[in-house]
Amino acid sequence: MDGISINLAQQADPKGAPSTLRIYGNDTYQTKFRRSRPIDAPRARYTGFKNETITLRSGTIRREGALALTCDIVFERDVAVTLRDGTTIYADIFRPTGDEKVPAIVAWSPYGKQVGGMSLDDVPHRVGVPLSATSGLEKFQGPDPAYWVAQGYAILHPDTRGAYASEGNVTFWGRQLAEDGYDFIEWAAQQSWSSGKLALSGNSWLAVSQWYIAAERPPHLAAIAPWEGLADPFRDMVNRGGIPNLASTEAVIATCMAGNTFVEDMPQMAIDHPTINEYWEDKVARLDRITVPAYVVSSYSNPVHTRGTLAGFRSIRSKDKWLRIHNTFESPDYYNPENVRDFRKFLDYYLKGDKNDWQAIPRVRLSILDPGHEDTVNRPVEEWPVPGYPVEKFYLHADQTLSNEPTTTSSNLSYETETENSRITFTHAFEKKSEVVGYINLHLWVEAIGSDDMDLLVLAEKRDKDGNVLPNAAGEASSTTGLLRVSHRALDPDLSTELEPRLTHKKEELLSPGQIVRVEIGLWPTALRFHPGEQLVLTVQAAPKAPTKLDLGFGVAKIPVPARGGTFKPGEKVEIIELGGGIDSQPEFVNAQRVETPASRNKGTHVFHLGGEYESVLLVPLAEVS
């Protein structure tokens, strides 16, 4: 592979793993690492290492059926970048021809800068993004060079620390990633082709990284555009509500990343440190340090990104910030031509100084989900959370209804946790057309029989008048969820609000036999419209244990690329290689390193006390609409 060699036996050897990580306030924090999946594993889909500069010609393609280039593109491959600690990472650069200095957009992730371990082809129907909509030169969930170079931008694809041929070890978010991003941006700003103005863009990991890098305040970072990305891995992903959920993180490490060295073992750190400590504090994005212009995009349906994206928008101190909440999935929204043009107007304003009408765009645009009818998209509002939605109280009654009227009679409902029917539902049918917009909070009085803890999942969803689930535009149930391990029930009184309880996660408070405690379970934000007769259904259930053997199937699709690299003319006979591997082609040690999700705290009986002194109530931001 042109200077990059791999020894699989050495890769599987656990010896030599680093033991410390730079976090804020500690340069040598004790941290677990594991061996990365090797870059010559079939599902890593590595195109090889080759330092070269070529011109990709207008009209050529990366693969048959993909979007053709509309201009010549200078493609600099495997460009070395030295970080402050001497580590070398490698980047691909796509930029316009000629001598004009141009702004640049950075796509920051460890998923590979050409093809890599993740591709839309791995997902059924490419999640609604047609092959013809992108060129195939784009990084997974990043900006497409075929479009952006034609608009006068450079696109930068770094393989971040430890990814593929880059030196060092892959780290999850926090100080090390933030400082690396700072160094890369400042390096790029000094290149001969650079105008000195850079932006960050992309979905998921590419979005998450932006909160951390922007908080370091690199002088040449002119704007960010986080398109759905968490801001607190402990609360948003691996330990939401205090319940360990390592499935998605394990799947990302095993099936989405590859490198020559090691990767930070965040799942093991979640096992070793199940409450908030300095390691997890390092992973909380320092949002209040961000002041650059921001174009923030969210949805209500992402099980990892929704809360953090909206928290990011609310908490950053940027004077110029915009929020758009869509009604589909992140990838089709990101590549939707109308949204790309909208985003381009933002970048043209802040990176090129164009005097367009961007400042007239509403600061907040949201969607109202209305499954069974028609969603409202891009409704302009004053701010988020949206003002004007009074808090409605729905009391939980023993007849499993939600009522605006409390009851003075005490009662209880229960289920056995180890049965298929370990849940209770409560229903409210609307008499008038109404909207629920914002954050929801459930106050419950709970008791465990046969256990000293409870793992609870709460679901609020819209159903039709007959109680049938109504899928939204993304094809999913129109719902929002909340999670809580009852021993993590302690609230931060300074940060908690009526609709948003903030858990401290500093310690566990186990239950005693017969003890009844009040808990608050915050549900992630949503926006749902209800028509007369339609139902709001609240489900309280034993949270299921998420297995860590999840394989998302990334790296399996066979992606054709020209063997010589670059692009080719449509119909031209060139040697094509296919990158990708079978579902079982993972090196054995990769899956052997996965950690098991800790045992559920659920056993025995969950009892929920209602009425009288045990006022269990659902707080909902709700308004009647015409």
Side-chain angles (χ1 to χ4, degrees):
M1 293 187 180
D2 289 21
I4 303 298
S5 62
I6 302 299
N7 183 306
L8 287 179
Q10 184 180 11
Q11 280 284 345
D13 184 355
K15 297 178 181 179
S19 59
T20 63
L21 178 69
R22 286 166 58 83
I23 68 173
Y24 291 110
N26 190 337
D27 289 349
T28 56
Y29 186 81
Q30 292 295 311
T31 306
K32 298 289 179 63
F33 285 78
R34 67 173 70 169
R35 283 284 181 185
S36 293
R37 179 176 59 172
I39 62 178
D40 60 355
R43 289 175 61 179
R45 289 193 297 223
Y46 185 43
T47 56
F49 184 92
K50 192 174 185 181
N51 179 234
E52 65 176 357
T53 299
I54 59 176
T55 299
L56 309 179
R57 296 300 181 185
S58 179
T60 61
I61 56 175
R62 177 67 165 179
R63 58 188 286 197
E64 294 290 351
L67 181 69
L69 307 189
T70 58
C71 69
D72 288 354
I73 296 176
V74 176
F75 175 30
E76 297 182 61
R77 182 175 173 184
D78 285 314
V79 177
V81 180
T82 303
L83 306 176
R84 69 183 68 180
D85 65 351
T87 297
T88 298
I89 65 172
Y90 296 95
D92 286 351
I93 299 171
F94 301 87
R95 57 182 177 84
T97 57
D99 298 327
E100 182 181 357
K101 294 181 181 295
V102 296
I105 308 171
V106 180
W108 190 269
S109 79
Y111 295 151
K113 51 189 172 51
Q114 283 194 64
V115 189
M118 303 181 79
S119 168
L120 290 173
D121 290 62
D122 293 316
V123 186
H125 311 295
R126 288 174 53 92
V127 206
V129 182
L131 177 60
S132 60
T134 59
S135 68
L137 294 173
E138 73 278 0
K139 203 175 198 182
F140 182 68
Q141 296 188 316
D144 188 351
Y147 175 83
W148 288 100
V149 173
Q151 312 309 319
Y153 289 87
I155 297 295
L156 311 186
H157 287 177
D159 270 341
T160 58
R161 178 183 295 260
Y164 289 82
S166 290
E167 296 174 356
N169 304 294
V170 176
T171 65
F172 279 77
W173 310 284
R175 175 186 177 186
Q176 184 64 74
L177 180 146
E179 291 179 348
D180 289 350
Y182 177 107
D183 293 350
F184 183 82
I185 286 169
E186 292 309 297
W187 169 86
Q190 303 306 317
Q191 301 310 298
S192 60
W193 47 262
S194 176
S195 71
K197 289 185 177 292
L198 289 96
L200 291 157
S201 177
N203 291 155
S204 194
W205 188 295
L206 291 77
V208 179
S209 302
Q210 297 181 48
W211 302 128
Y212 298 85
I213 296 171
E216 285 293 308
R217 298 176 176 173
H220 292 91
L221 180 63
I224 59 173
W227 225 279
E228 300 206 37
L230 58 83
D232 183 340
F234 186 97
R235 291 181 171 88
D236 294 345
M237 184 170 65
V238 300
N239 235 325
R240 184 179 165 194
I243 302 174
N245 184 349
L246 312 179
S248 60
T249 313
E250 282 289 357
V252 166
I253 293 174
T255 66
C256 305
M257 297 178 176
N260 290 327
T261 51
F262 298 90
V263 57
E264 182 183 344
D265 196 343
M266 182 177 279
Q268 186 61 53
M269 294 298 287
I271 300 293
D272 295 346
H273 305 284
T275 55
I276 295 287
N277 64 356
E278 60 181 321
Y279 172 81
W280 293 114
E281 292 290 356
D282 180 71
K283 303 301 182 188
V284 179
R286 302 191 296 170
L287 298 168
D288 62 352
R289 288 179 49 82
I290 298 174
T291 57
V292 294
Y295 180 109
V296 182
V297 180
S298 181
S299 70
Y300 307 111
S301 58
N302 193 294
V304 175
H305 298 150
T306 296
R307 192 209 70 85
T309 306
L310 294 172
F313 172 78
R314 295 168 67 182
S315 300
I316 62 176
R317 295 187 178 179
S318 305
K319 177 177 64 75
D320 292 346
K321 61 179 180 179
W322 282 261
L323 171 66
R324 183 172 60 79
I325 308 176
H326 62 85
N327 67 332
T328 59
F329 287 125
E330 58 194 45
S331 291
D333 183 81
Y334 186 76
Y335 294 112
N336 178 293
E338 182 179 348
N339 297 335
V340 172
R341 288 191 292 270
D342 189 67
F343 176 42
R344 177 188 162 195
K345 188 179 292 186
F346 168 80
L347 288 185
D348 284 352
Y349 188 89
Y350 287 106
L351 271 68
K352 289 186 173 183
D354 284 5
K355 302 303 180 183
N356 57 35
D357 63 350
W358 177 255
Q359 288 286 337
I361 298 293
R363 292 300 180 104
V364 179
R365 293 169 286 173
L366 56 81
S367 294
I368 306 293
L369 307 182
D370 195 359
H373 305 273
E374 186 174 351
D375 294 350
T376 298
V377 179
N378 284 339
R379 174 192 286 180
V381 294
E382 294 177 25
E383 57 185 300
W384 178 269
V386 184
Y389 286 82
V391 177
E392 188 90 1
K393 291 185 176 181
F394 291 100
Y395 297 91
L396 281 60
H397 285 240
D399 63 357
Q400 296 183 234
T401 60
L402 296 170
S403 171
N404 296 128
E405 298 298 326
T407 177
T408 58
T409 304
S410 296
S411 59
N412 66 72
L413 296 171
S414 64
Y415 56 70
E416 300 299 317
T417 61
E418 297 171 289
T419 67
E420 292 184 2
N421 196 32
S422 55
R423 62 178 57 85
I424 300 171
T425 61
F426 301 87
T427 303
H428 172 80
F430 286 89
E431 295 181 358
K432 298 181 178 180
K433 189 176 180 181
S434 304
E435 289 178 353
V436 174
V437 180
Y439 300 79
I440 299 172
N441 190 11
L442 176 62
H443 295 190
L444 274 180
W445 288 88
V446 302
E447 177 188 2
I449 299 176
S451 178
D452 59 6
D453 211 344
M454 306 167 72
D455 288 345
L456 299 175
L457 168 64
V458 174
L459 181 78
E461 61 185 327
K462 172 181 173 175
R463 296 187 186 179
D464 69 14
K465 61 183 179 61
D466 298 317
N468 300 311
V469 172
L470 289 167
N472 57 29
E476 301 173 332
S478 300
S479 62
T480 181
T481 61
L483 288 161
L484 179 68
R485 172 163 282 181
V486 170
S487 61
H488 282 243
R489 63 189 176 276
L491 299 177
D492 185 325
D494 296 325
L495 297 179
S496 295
T497 65
E498 183 180 22
L499 293 176
E500 296 178 77
R502 174 75 171 185
L503 302 173
T504 63
H505 295 296
K506 292 293 187 182
K507 62 179 180 179
E508 290 192 343
E509 298 176 84
L510 297 175
L511 298 172
S512 302
Q515 183 181 11
I516 301 171
V517 298
R518 180 181 179 275
V519 299
E520 294 188 29
I521 306 175
L523 282 70
W524 282 12
T526 190
L528 288 170
R529 183 180 298 123
F530 293 85
H531 297 260
E534 292 179 337
Q535 301 176 1
L536 170 63
V537 177
L538 174 72
T539 301
V540 182
Q541 68 181 73
K545 177 181 174 181
T548 57
K549 300 301 182 184
L550 176 68
D551 190 322
L552 298 175
F554 286 109
V556 171
K558 298 296 179 67
I559 309 296
V561 297
R564 70 188 184 197
T567 55
F568 58 95
K569 295 178 181 179
E572 181 183 357
K573 299 300 181 182
V574 297
E575 182 184 356
I576 295 293
I577 58 175
E578 289 191 335
L579 301 177
I583 196 75
D584 297 324
S585 66
Q586 291 281 73
E588 185 176 342
F589 79 89
V590 173
N591 285 327
Q593 294 180 122
R594 294 190 188 220
V595 301
E596 292 289 342
T597 299
S600 170
R601 298 283 177 89
N602 289 331
K603 57 182 177 179
T605 306
H606 287 176
V607 183
F608 304 94
H609 294 266
L610 316 171
E613 63 179 310
Y614 302 116
E615 193 175 79
S616 291
V617 60
L618 184 69
L619 305 181
V620 179
L622 183 145
E624 293 181 0
V625 294
S626 58

